[in-house]
PDB file of all heavy atoms in Angstrom:
ATOM      1  N   LYS L  53     130.739 178.842  58.407  1.00  0.00           N
ATOM      2  CA  LYS L  53     129.676 178.550  59.372  1.00  0.00           C
ATOM      3  C   LYS L  53     129.791 179.419  60.616  1.00  0.00           C
ATOM      4  O   LYS L  53     130.897 179.777  61.031  1.00  0.00           O
ATOM      5  CB  LYS L  53     129.760 177.086  59.797  1.00  0.00           C
ATOM      6  CG  LYS L  53     129.559 176.091  58.688  1.00  0.00           C
ATOM      7  CD  LYS L  53     129.757 174.667  59.207  1.00  0.00           C
ATOM      8  CE  LYS L  53     129.697 173.662  58.076  1.00  0.00           C
ATOM      9  NZ  LYS L  53     130.019 172.294  58.524  1.00  0.00           N
ATOM     10  N   VAL L  54     128.646 179.692  61.192  1.00  0.00           N
ATOM     11  CA  VAL L  54     128.606 180.341  62.496  1.00  0.00           C
ATOM     12  C   VAL L  54     129.082 179.332  63.539  1.00  0.00           C
ATOM     13  O   VAL L  54     128.596 178.204  63.595  1.00  0.00           O
ATOM     14  CB  VAL L  54     127.186 180.827  62.831  1.00  0.00           C
ATOM     15  CG1 VAL L  54     127.101 181.263  64.295  1.00  0.00           C
ATOM     16  CG2 VAL L  54     126.772 181.950  61.900  1.00  0.00           C
ATOM     17  N   MET L  55     130.057 179.772  64.348  1.00  0.00           N
ATOM     18  CA  MET L  55     130.538 178.883  65.408  1.00  0.00           C
ATOM     19  C   MET L  55     129.731 179.085  66.680  1.00  0.00           C
ATOM     20  O   MET L  55     129.323 178.133  67.312  1.00  0.00           O
ATOM     21  CB  MET L  55     132.010 179.151  65.671  1.00  0.00           C
ATOM     22  CG  MET L  55     132.919 178.815  64.504  1.00  0.00           C
ATOM     23  SD  MET L  55     134.610 179.275  64.840  1.00  0.00           S
ATOM     24  CE  MET L  55     134.963 178.256  66.261  1.00  0.00           C
ATOM     25  N   GLU L  56     129.566 180.329  67.018  1.00  0.00           N
ATOM     26  CA  GLU L  56     128.843 180.640  68.235  1.00  0.00           C
ATOM     27  C   GLU L  56     128.219 182.019  68.109  1.00  0.00           C
ATOM     28  O   GLU L  56     128.784 182.908  67.488  1.00  0.00           O
ATOM     29  CB  GLU L  56     129.787 180.613  69.442  1.00  0.00           C
ATOM     30  CG  GLU L  56     129.085 180.699  70.772  1.00  0.00           C
ATOM     31  CD  GLU L  56     130.013 180.424  71.947  1.00  0.00           C
ATOM     32  OE1 GLU L  56     131.161 180.002  71.728  1.00  0.00           O
ATOM     33  OE2 GLU L  56     129.580 180.636  73.088  1.00  0.00           O
ATOM     34  N   LYS L  57     127.058 182.183  68.697  1.00  0.00           N
ATOM     35  CA  LYS L  57     126.411 183.486  68.682  1.00  0.00           C
ATOM     36  C   LYS L  57     125.889 183.796  70.068  1.00  0.00           C
ATOM     37  O   LYS L  57     125.547 182.902  70.834  1.00  0.00           O
ATOM     38  CB  LYS L  57     125.287 183.532  67.653  1.00  0.00           C
ATOM     39  CG  LYS L  57     124.283 182.405  67.763  1.00  0.00           C
ATOM     40  CD  LYS L  57     123.344 182.409  66.569  1.00  0.00           C
ATOM     41  CE  LYS L  57     122.341 181.267  66.675  1.00  0.00           C
ATOM     42  NZ  LYS L  57     121.448 181.178  65.491  1.00  0.00           N
ATOM     43  N   SER L  58     125.834 185.093  70.367  1.00  0.00           N
ATOM     44  CA  SER L  58     125.363 185.515  71.665  1.00  0.00           C
ATOM     45  C   SER L  58     123.847 185.749  71.609  1.00  0.00           C
ATOM     46  O   SER L  58     123.226 185.691  70.544  1.00  0.00           O
ATOM     47  CB  SER L  58     126.076 186.795  72.095  1.00  0.00           C
ATOM     48  OG  SER L  58     125.597 187.897  71.354  1.00  0.00           O
ATOM     49  N   LYS L  59     123.299 186.081  72.766  1.00  0.00           N
ATOM     50  CA  LYS L  59     121.858 186.336  72.815  1.00  0.00           C
ATOM     51  C   LYS L  59     121.494 187.630  72.083  1.00  0.00           C
ATOM     52  O   LYS L  59     120.330 187.872  71.770  1.00  0.00           O
ATOM     53  CB  LYS L  59     121.393 186.416  74.267  1.00  0.00           C
ATOM     54  CG  LYS L  59     122.024 187.527  75.068  1.00  0.00           C
ATOM     55  CD  LYS L  59     121.538 187.490  76.512  1.00  0.00           C
ATOM     56  CE  LYS L  59     122.054 188.668  77.325  1.00  0.00           C
ATOM     57  NZ  LYS L  59     123.507 188.792  77.375  1.00  0.00           N
ATOM     58  N   LEU L  60     122.491 188.469  71.797  1.00  0.00           N
ATOM     59  CA  LEU L  60     122.245 189.689  71.036  1.00  0.00           C
ATOM     60  C   LEU L  60     122.035 189.409  69.551  1.00  0.00           C
ATOM     61  O   LEU L  60     121.524 190.267  68.824  1.00  0.00           O
ATOM     62  CB  LEU L  60     123.421 190.661  71.184  1.00  0.00           C
ATOM     63  CG  LEU L  60     123.721 191.190  72.576  1.00  0.00           C
ATOM     64  CD1 LEU L  60     124.931 192.110  72.523  1.00  0.00           C
ATOM     65  CD2 LEU L  60     122.525 191.920  73.156  1.00  0.00           C
ATOM     66  N   PHE L  61     122.456 188.242  69.105  1.00  0.00           N
ATOM     67  CA  PHE L  61     122.365 187.892  67.688  1.00  0.00           C
ATOM     68  C   PHE L  61     120.953 187.376  67.414  1.00  0.00           C
ATOM     69  O   PHE L  61     120.670 186.180  67.491  1.00  0.00           O
ATOM     70  CB  PHE L  61     123.416 186.836  67.348  1.00  0.00           C
ATOM     71  CG  PHE L  61     123.653 186.648  65.870  1.00  0.00           C
ATOM     72  CD1 PHE L  61     124.481 187.516  65.187  1.00  0.00           C
ATOM     73  CD2 PHE L  61     123.045 185.615  65.176  1.00  0.00           C
ATOM     74  CE1 PHE L  61     124.709 187.352  63.830  1.00  0.00           C
ATOM     75  CE2 PHE L  61     123.270 185.437  63.817  1.00  0.00           C
ATOM     76  CZ  PHE L  61     124.102 186.310  63.143  1.00  0.00           C
ATOM     77  N   LYS L  62     120.074 188.330  67.090  1.00  0.00           N
ATOM     78  CA  LYS L  62     118.666 187.997  66.925  1.00  0.00           C
ATOM     79  C   LYS L  62     118.420 187.207  65.649  1.00  0.00           C
ATOM     80  O   LYS L  62     119.279 187.110  64.772  1.00  0.00           O
ATOM     81  CB  LYS L  62     117.847 189.292  66.890  1.00  0.00           C
ATOM     82  CG  LYS L  62     118.051 190.196  68.099  1.00  0.00           C
ATOM     83  CD  LYS L  62     117.157 191.413  68.058  1.00  0.00           C
ATOM     84  CE  LYS L  62     117.421 192.259  66.829  1.00  0.00           C
ATOM     85  NZ  LYS L  62     116.592 193.489  66.829  1.00  0.00           N
ATOM     86  N   ASP L  63     117.224 186.670  65.539  1.00  0.00           N
ATOM     87  CA  ASP L  63     116.854 185.888  64.350  1.00  0.00           C
ATOM     88  C   ASP L  63     116.924 186.726  63.074  1.00  0.00           C
ATOM     89  O   ASP L  63     117.097 186.190  61.976  1.00  0.00           O
ATOM     90  CB  ASP L  63     115.442 185.320  64.510  1.00  0.00           C
ATOM     91  CG  ASP L  63     115.377 184.246  65.571  1.00  0.00           C
ATOM     92  OD1 ASP L  63     116.446 183.720  65.948  1.00  0.00           O
ATOM     93  OD2 ASP L  63     114.260 183.952  66.038  1.00  0.00           O
ATOM     94  N   GLN L  64     116.802 188.048  63.240  1.00  0.00           N
ATOM     95  CA  GLN L  64     116.843 188.945  62.074  1.00  0.00           C
ATOM     96  C   GLN L  64     118.267 189.157  61.557  1.00  0.00           C
ATOM     97  O   GLN L  64     118.470 189.772  60.527  1.00  0.00           O
ATOM     98  CB  GLN L  64     116.250 190.310  62.434  1.00  0.00           C
ATOM     99  CG  GLN L  64     114.780 190.273  62.807  1.00  0.00           C
ATOM    100  CD  GLN L  64     114.561 190.018  64.288  1.00  0.00           C
ATOM    101  OE1 GLN L  64     115.389 189.413  64.971  1.00  0.00           O
ATOM    102  NE2 GLN L  64     113.434 190.495  64.798  1.00  0.00           N
ATOM    103  N   PHE L  65     119.245 188.654  62.285  1.00  0.00           N
ATOM    104  CA  PHE L  65     120.638 188.812  61.906  1.00  0.00           C
ATOM    105  C   PHE L  65     121.111 187.572  61.154  1.00  0.00           C
ATOM    106  O   PHE L  65     120.719 186.441  61.460  1.00  0.00           O
ATOM    107  CB  PHE L  65     121.522 188.979  63.145  1.00  0.00           C
ATOM    108  CG  PHE L  65     121.386 190.292  63.863  1.00  0.00           C
ATOM    109  CD1 PHE L  65     120.247 191.058  63.778  1.00  0.00           C
ATOM    110  CD2 PHE L  65     122.423 190.761  64.655  1.00  0.00           C
ATOM    111  CE1 PHE L  65     120.125 192.265  64.444  1.00  0.00           C
ATOM    112  CE2 PHE L  65     122.322 191.963  65.334  1.00  0.00           C
ATOM    113  CZ  PHE L  65     121.182 192.714  65.236  1.00  0.00           C
TER     114      PHE L  65
END
Side-chain angles (χ1 to χ4, degrees):
Chain L
K53 298 176 186 174
V54 169
M55 295 176 61
E56 190 170 351
K57 52 189 180 183
S58 73
K59 62 182 185 302
L60 297 179
F61 195 81
K62 305 184 300 183
D63 291 343
Q64 296 88 334
F65 289 24

